[in-house]
Amino acid sequence: MTDATAAPEALGALLSRHRVANGTRWVNAAWALPIGVLTSWLGLWALLGSSDDGSSGGGQGLGVALGLGVCGLGIGLTQAVRALRGGGGEYFDVHEHGLVHGNARGPKGSWRWPEVVAVTVPTRRDSVGAFAHRFGNDYRCILTLVGGKRVRIDGLATGAPALGNAVIDHCPDARLLTGEEWTRKAGGWLLLAAALCVGAIIAMVTYISDHPDGEKVTVDANGNTAHDFVQGLDDGTIMLLGLGMVACGIAAVTCLSLFVHGRTRRPR
């Protein structure tokens, strides 16, 4: 069933076609998912190993393994879902009076230009690496239609910037956004989130300091004194707390940066 609101043949002459490299998404998913599954399994093995015998062998690679696992699974699933939604032979057609989104099976949706109420093009950074280009993150454009539906265009579409500019040129009444407008409205919440992250770091540091390594002295019935080493926290717990502090630190800096950006940027 199509969500088209205007028949493609009623949109006038075809001005340009922009094919989407959907096969690249499948390739990305093909290597990201196995990496995510394998490293997640290794991370769980390290966690269970460190908690069973208290050895440091599992804890040392825990952070790296779990981090790679989460990233791999997230990237792989995202790419697979987008590939499935786009379908084989995905394309965007710019017509005189509207836009068509389709694939090898035919049009998936078609809309007249007045139906586009907002165009969101995130601010481009000075440098874009090959990694971002491979995932289409070097360019992104989100079209918001009447009724709230959104259409996503990314760098995997041939001539993506030209496609986005064509939409902007044909929709002079649509709001042009950067996707960062929310940072100004959420200023207080961002500061609160940063404060909570700092508080969490202080709590974790306090917890570690309250559980130091020590020595236990025992005296038996014959008056013999024994000195035993008592470990405050096992290596796995210290590793998890360390990762938590790093994550909270990054989150705090990010929230503060977004707050400052929201206060200094000029609304359009």
Side-chain angles (χ1 to χ4, degrees), residues 19-45:
R19 298 188 180 277
V20 180
N22 216 8
T24 302
R25 292 174 178 153
W26 283 120
V27 174
N28 293 338
W31 61 258
L33 283 175
I35 290 177
V37 172
L38 178 61
T39 52
S40 296
W41 180 84
L42 289 175
L44 291 175
W45 173 82

Side-chain angles (χ1 to χ4, degrees), residues 88-190:
E90 185 183 9
Y91 65 87
F92 287 94
D93 279 350
V94 177
H95 287 258
E96 184 179 3
H97 302 298
L99 180 72
V100 177
H101 180 208
N103 55 28
R105 294 185 176 182
K108 292 166 56 67
S110 55
W111 311 274
R112 295 183 180 276
W113 296 126
E115 295 181 62
V116 180
V117 297
V119 180
T120 302
V121 181
T123 303
R124 297 188 64 180
R125 307 307 176 189
D126 294 335
S127 60
V128 178
F131 189 78
H133 177 70
R134 177 166 188 83
F135 291 96
N137 294 330
D138 52 335
Y139 181 83
R140 188 163 68 254
C141 177
I142 308 296
L143 311 182
T144 303
L145 308 173
V146 175
K149 177 181 174 60
R150 293 189 174 189
V151 180
R152 184 181 189 273
I153 300 170
D154 62 25
L156 292 180
T158 304
L163 172 57
N165 289 336
V167 174
I168 294 173
D169 292 341
H170 283 90
C171 304
D173 296 329
R175 292 183 61 199
L176 185 58
L177 307 173
T178 65
E180 300 173 347
E181 289 76 13
W182 67 272
T183 58
R184 187 174 183 84
K185 298 180 181 179
W189 292 107
L190 290 171

Side-chain angles (χ1 to χ4, degrees), residues 2 4 7 11 23 36 84 115 117 119 133 153 162 186 192 227 255 261:
T2 179
L11 297 179
L84 285 172
E115 295 181 62
V117 297
V119 180
H133 177 70
I153 300 170
L192 177 60
H227 298 268
C255 289
H261 179 74

